[in-house]
Structure formats: structure tokens, C-alpha cells
Amino acid sequence: MSRAPRPVLAVASECAPLVKTGGLADVVGALPAVLSAQGWAVRTLIPGYRKVMSALKRAKVIAEWSDLLGVEARIVSAKAEGLDLLVLDAPALFDREGSPYLDADGNDWRDNDLRFAALSLAAARIAGGALDGWRPELVHLHDWQAGLTPVYLRQGGLHIPCVMTIHNIAFHGLAPGERLSALGLTGAGFDLDGYEYYGHISALKAGLTGARAINTVSPTYAQELTTPEFGMGLDGVIRARWADVSGILNGIDTETWNPEADPLISPFKGPPGKAANTRALRTEFGLAASGGPLAVVVSRLSDQKGLDLLLDALPAFLEQGGQLALLGSGDRKLEHAFLAAADAHPGQVSVRIGYDEALSHRLYAGAEAVLVPSRFEPCGLTQMYGLRYGALPVVARTGGLADTVIHANAAALAAGCATGIVHDPQSVPALEEALRQLCALHAMPAVFRRLQKNAMKHPVGWEGSAPLYAALYARLADEAATETA
Ligand code: ADP
Ligand code: GLC
């Protein structure tokens, strides 16, 4: 007889397709389905942003609190897009226009500490039994926005194990030490071994020190996190907890991202069928017909992504017949610089500033290459969408990029297993060289098609990683059960 699914609570600030600013949402949105096949029933707690509340159908209020860190709040349960959602409806914190983290001017919401502390406190209350008839065996925390959960659990005398997943260690969720009482923190654990960070409250450090296990989203990034260069001030904490740290590579949702059945593109099975999408993309972006490769970028425009290097490497690439279509938004300086590059090279460079999910599908489908020159990249999903859609990834050798792309060196080409181009170090000359190689490979159609076929065959789903998460959950939940028995 098969065992009943085991309950787990996931806590995150984003969840695709309801609310997304980056890959975190894709992963949080994809995990419940893949873990369900592994015997885990995930309920996902997210904030009730205005956009989320208006998208909910047949929602049911299942808990009401008159005072959650000073505001009124309700937990709304809803099923949406195959997800079992718990939505924290706290209008004073989340019912506003703007992104999950930023106001209309692009500044952090001033009360972000309170907003996500409330999310974490709600998680602790739910884990402690606030919802009639439901208790999770463990809590899965995603990034700093969920990081204070173990502290609230401890303050409540609750012993429920947490897994902390680091999607990006660059964001710590810091608040001044004076905010302790506003955030409902007693101060226990506000020290070097706990959640204090140079006099500040660090939500991420709270998660890293309070969770039973820590994982990040690729094996290479796990290793990198132990170094000062990548650990962003928390490498010491990672080293101290190394026995509990693992790297579990992200997958992508291969149903949503399926070139053979994607309703947002002209579906295709292999490189020849892709050509119609490439033509359509050139037309849509006003790019000239060209014998050179059409490369795309779909990205947040931030320092992490190394796109300033691409701006410098661009002239040499264009001279060789390369073209660039970019969709992105973020850093205003980068937005202007790419728009200026498009003005300077009409028909060769075309740029859309904004966020557009449907357009991103057309870009991956039409692209011959996806460029990801990141300075650091915990996992990266866009190179995996590129692989799946036969757009060769040209990536920096870092984090998950290094773990997902097989570089087209002589040996890999001879063995027929190469899937893209990996450059190292992250510098303009190295990127120029990678783009030169892209142009050279593109000029050999049979070789290029072979690479595209390899890319499309490369496993990018969750088959490998879902059992690793399931095993981690089972170990922690079973250990906790033994301790309390
Ligand atoms: P990160 O989470 O650091 O931004 P990832 O590569 O993990 O990087 O994930 C980025 C996700 O966001 C991908 O699904 C990508 O397609 C999407 N994305 C990024 N920028 C845009 C945009 N401007 N429009 C549409 N989708 C975008
Ligand atoms: C973060 C990282 C990205 C990763 C994503 C999902 O946003 O920057 O590399 O793919 O989380 O884990």
C-alpha cells in the first residue's frame, strides 16, 4: 500500500505563474508538482500582493489574526495552476501597486523588513498548527524573505525542522538592530552565532543558522559560497555549517517550456523547424536578414548578470555578423546603455525594456544563442531554456552555468557531447573570444545543427534533483520524528 503524501510547507516571496521577478518564482512554482511525484504534498505560503489577491479564484479564509506584527491578516487557501496555495492577506503590508520588493520609483519598500518578517511569522504559526487539521512535517524556506521562520519557531517553543534554500546570497534582508521589537523578536539568538550581522538583524543569517539543512541551487555555487569572493560576507557561516550544506541543481518546468508544444511559438522538434521562429523574431525585433548568429539576452539588468561586459564585447561580435535581441529591465544605466547600443546599430541590435513572459518564449524559440555572462550565478534558468529550445548557451564558468553547459572544446566536439560555449574568466576579452567561437561554429551549419540537437537533448528537467529534495526532506522529517518520539 502506498503511503499518504507527507505534508510540507514552502515559504517564498514569489511563485510562478502568480508573481515572478526572476528564477526564484519558477523554482518555487515548479517544485510542488515534482515533489508530489516523490510522495510530498507541498502547500506554498506567499504574500497576498494585490496582483496575487486579484488572481485567486474560489479562495477560502482559513485563519484570521487581528495582530500579526501590528497588522490585521488572514490566511487564504486557494488552488491555482496546480498549486496548493496559502496566501497571507495582510492589506497594510501587501495591497499596493509596484513590484514585490520595490515601489514605483525603484526603491525598496521602506517596510520590507516588516513585510517579510510577517510572512515568516505566519509560516511559524501555520507550522505550529494554526490551520485546523493541518501540520507540516517540515518547512522549506526560500531566500531571506522566509529566513526568520526558524527564529519565530524557536520563540514559540516549536521543534519543526526547516530547510533553507539559498537562491541568491547577495540579498541578506538586513534591518537595524533597533527593529527587534517591531519585528516581534525577543532578542534571543541576536548574536554572532545567530542572526546578528554587524549590529543588524539578518533574515538570511537567521535562516542559515536556524535551519537544520541548507542547500543552494547548484553544486558549483555551493562550493563557491565557501569563499569570500562569492560568500558575500556569509562565507564563514557557510563554512561553519558545511556538513549540512548541499548543492541541488535546479530544473525547469519542461511542460511549460516545451518547444514541441509551446502555444506561444511556432512549435518545433529540431533545428530545421526552429528557423521559422528565428525569422519571426528578426521581423518582430526589426533585425536585418543575416548570415551571422542571432543571440538573445532575457535578464534582470543588474551587476550580477555581467551585461556591462557584453556592451563592451558587442562591437567585435557585430562586426562578425552577429546580432543581439535583448529583453530586460532593472538598472537604469544599463537600460540606457543597451537602448543607446540599439540606436547606434539599427538592424543589428534591438532592445525591449520591460518584463514580458510571452515575449521571452519567442526569444528563446527564435534565438540561435542565449548569452549569460554573469559574474556569479547561483543556478541560472535562461541557459536551460536556451538548451531546451536549441539556442546555444554562451555562459561564464560560474555557479549553475558551469554545471549545466558542456563547453564546445575540441574533445567535446569530437565526442559529440558539446552543448554550448563556456568562457572563463569573466572579462571582455574572454567574452569576445566566446562570441568569436560562436560565429565560427555558426558558419559551419552541420556542426552548429549538431550542437543544437545536443542542447535540445540535454536533460534540464527535475528528474535528477527531485529525488534529492525528497531524500533531504525525508531525512530531516524522520530525524525530527525520532527525536520527539
Ligand atoms: P535570476 O533569478 O537571477 O533573475 P534566472 O536565470 O534564474 O535568473 O531566472 C530568470 C527568470 O526570469 C527566467 O525565467 C527568465 O526567462 C525570466 N526573465 C528575466 N527577465 C525577464 C524579462 N524582462 N521578461 C520576461 N522574463 C524575464
Ligand atoms: C536566483 C539566482 C538564479 C537562480 C534562481 C532560482 O534568482 O540569481 O541564479 O537560478 O534564483 O534558483
Side-chain angles (χ1 to χ4, degrees), residues 14 20-27 167-168 250 257 297-302 304-305 327-329 352-361 363-364 372 376-383 385 401:
E14 302 185 20
K20 166 169 168 178
T21 72
L24 168 68
D26 288 323
V27 173
H167 294 268
N168 195 333
N250 283 336
W257 299 93
V297 170
V298 179
S299 186
R300 290 187 291 116
L301 302 182
S302 81
Q304 169 188 345
K305 301 294 178 179
L327 168 64
S329 61
R352 299 278 184 283
I353 299 301
Y355 190 94
D356 187 336
E357 192 75 22
L359 179 55
S360 77
H361 284 245
L363 279 154
Y364 297 121
V372 198
F376 68 94
E377 197 60 75
C379 181
L381 301 180
T382 67
Q383 82 281 11
Y385 299 136
L401 300 174

Side-chain angles (χ1 to χ4, degrees), residues 205-464:
K205 194 173 171 221
L208 296 178
T209 51
R212 287 283 181 104
I214 299 168
N215 82 294
T216 188
V217 289
S218 70
T220 294
Y221 192 58
Q223 293 289 339
E224 288 171 345
L225 286 178
T226 62
T227 67
E229 188 189 352
F230 290 95
M232 309 255 175
L234 289 171
D235 44 295
V237 178
I238 299 291
R239 286 195 300 276
R241 295 224 51 198
W242 187 242
D244 301 311
V245 177
S246 60
I248 303 180
L249 193 66
N250 283 336
I252 62 169
D253 177 345
T254 48
E255 275 178 32
T256 306
W257 299 93
N258 178 4
E260 292 185 31
D262 186 338
L264 299 169
I265 64 167
S266 302
F268 59 98
K269 281 192 162 53
K274 189 178 162 73
N277 290 284
T278 306
R279 276 195 301 277
L281 185 62
R282 280 206 166 93
T283 307
E284 181 172 6
F285 272 72
L287 295 168
S290 161
L294 171 54
V296 308
V297 170
V298 179
S299 186
R300 290 187 291 116
L301 302 182
S302 81
D303 188 56
Q304 169 188 345
K305 301 294 178 179
L307 294 165
D308 48 319
L309 306 176
L310 176 60
L311 280 166
D312 290 341
L314 205 50
F317 178 54
L318 302 179
E319 259 170 41
Q320 296 163 77
Q323 295 179 324
L324 176 71
L326 175 141
L327 168 64
S329 61
D331 182 297
R332 299 281 189 265
K333 251 175 67 190
L334 283 170
E335 290 182 355
H336 289 137
F338 276 105
L339 287 170
D343 279 347
H345 305 283
Q348 283 186 290
V349 177
S350 183
V351 169
R352 299 278 184 283
I353 299 301
Y355 190 94
D356 187 336
E357 192 75 22
L359 179 55
S360 77
H361 284 245
R362 300 198 291 282
L363 279 154
Y364 297 121
E368 294 174 299
V370 172
L371 312 184
V372 198
S374 305
R375 293 199 161 81
F376 68 94
E377 197 60 75
C379 181
L381 301 180
T382 67
Q383 82 281 11
M384 290 201 261
Y385 299 136
L387 288 168
R388 182 106 169 113
Y389 283 71
L392 293 198
V394 178
V395 304
R397 191 186 308 282
T398 187
L401 300 174
D403 293 339
T404 50
V405 181
I406 302 171
H407 178 52
N409 59 24
L413 282 169
C417 62
T419 61
I421 297 169
V422 185
H423 59 90
D424 185 6
Q426 289 110 314
S427 67
V428 175
L431 179 55
E432 279 176 349
E433 180 52 35
L435 293 171
R436 232 185 322 275
Q437 191 185 358
L438 172 67
C439 293
L441 290 169
H442 187 264
M444 298 183 281
V447 176
F448 199 76
R449 263 199 305 277
R450 176 72 194 271
L451 287 165
Q452 288 178 299
K453 277 191 191 162
N454 290 347
M456 293 182 76
K457 277 198 317 238
H458 191 86
V460 285
W462 283 97
E463 307 76 41

